[in-house]
Amino acid sequence: MTGVLLFCTAEDAKPLIRKVMHNTNDKGELLHSSFYLIQGNDLPDDSDELKSRLTQEETFTSVFIGASEQNCRDWMLEKQKQVNYVEINIFAIADAESVKDNTLLVQFYYPEFDPPLSPMEFPGYGILPPRTNAWYSYRIQHDQFDDLHAALCYLAPDIRYPIYFGRKAELTDEQGIFDVARADGIIAGKEPFTPPA
């Protein structure tokens, strides 16, 4: 089973990590989350060696405490293809900001393909995504991760690109939090979609 890597870069964010990775079913049984918690510098050969769930009291360590967003990006690009259980080009960070607002900082990488893909141009927006070999950041409420993940990784480009790249600034509030629910509502037709002239 593939999972999304989750980094903890702030000691104070550990309670949020526990919350994010503490999914239970109707019987109260602890389920696997969408995430694999990265605690060390290397990816093990087997995903069973990584934590994919945590109890509310469980302790853990992270060598990424104090790491920057760019440190995590560089590590991800270096390591992500070494194993087959990692969802590539996307990961999440619980950082110092996460402590204040219960958010995750999601990083999405748009590579340059070989052979190159024809750029997709969208009326009113131009070419989307605007850059290749580039990271795109989305700070989101932690409970909206699965919806963001599905949209960024599995929706057809002609549906997701205008919303998640073209309207990213519009859908991000003054605190820097991207509104995944509203983005999904626009895609579902709950809000009129009119590209800029």
Side-chain angles (χ1 to χ4, degrees):
M1 178 176 109
T2 61
V4 175
L5 299 185
L6 177 61
F7 295 80
C8 183
T9 63
E11 193 71 34
D12 291 348
K14 286 184 174 182
L16 178 62
I17 295 273
R18 288 186 198 94
K19 187 175 186 177
V20 167
M21 298 186 71
H22 186 82
N23 295 335
T24 57
N25 63 14
D26 295 339
K27 298 176 184 174
E29 299 166 325
L30 196 57
L31 304 172
H32 290 275
S33 71
S34 302
F35 296 108
Y36 289 124
L37 179 61
I38 295 302
Q39 296 179 261
N41 278 316
D42 296 307
L43 282 172
D45 293 334
D46 191 334
S47 64
D48 288 342
E49 296 178 45
L50 294 173
K51 292 186 181 291
S52 63
R53 55 188 171 189
L54 290 169
T55 66
Q56 294 290 6
E57 301 78 29
E58 194 168 350
T59 60
F60 64 90
T61 59
S62 171
V63 299
F64 293 95
I65 300 294
S68 69
E69 189 177 328
Q70 190 60 49
N71 294 148
C72 296
R73 288 171 170 180
D74 293 343
W75 187 94
M76 183 72 179
L77 286 181
E78 178 189 343
K79 308 279 189 180
Q80 68 179 353
K81 293 185 181 176
Q82 292 178 358
V83 294
N84 62 5
Y85 59 79
V86 170
E87 184 86 45
I88 64 169
N89 299 330
I90 188 169
F91 68 91
I93 301 171
D95 59 8
E97 190 68 27
S98 303
V99 178
K100 302 175 196 170
D101 54 21
N102 281 321
T103 58
L104 292 174
L105 181 61
V106 178
Q107 302 287 304
F108 179 77
Y109 184 70
Y110 189 77
E112 187 162 323
F113 294 92
D114 186 21
L117 298 177
S118 297
M120 294 184 74
E121 189 156 353
F122 295 85
Y125 298 108
I127 293 172
L128 296 176
R131 298 177 323 278
T132 59
N133 289 335
W135 287 98
Y136 295 87
S137 296
Y138 299 83
R139 183 167 294 280
I140 62 166
Q141 293 299 321
H142 73 86
D143 57 355
Q144 294 183 332
F145 174 78
D146 288 339
D147 292 334
L148 177 79
H149 177 221
L152 284 176
C153 296
Y154 300 110
L155 278 181
D158 60 328
I159 296 172
R160 66 182 155 134
Y161 286 7
I163 307 302
Y164 282 86
F165 296 105
R167 294 180 72 175
K168 182 174 182 271
E170 173 195 339
L171 295 169
T172 301
D173 69 16
E174 315 79 54
Q175 287 76 44
I177 300 172
F178 182 83
D179 190 340
V180 178
R182 185 172 169 218
D184 286 352
I186 294 168
I187 290 170
K190 295 177 183 172
E191 184 178 321
F193 176 66
T194 309

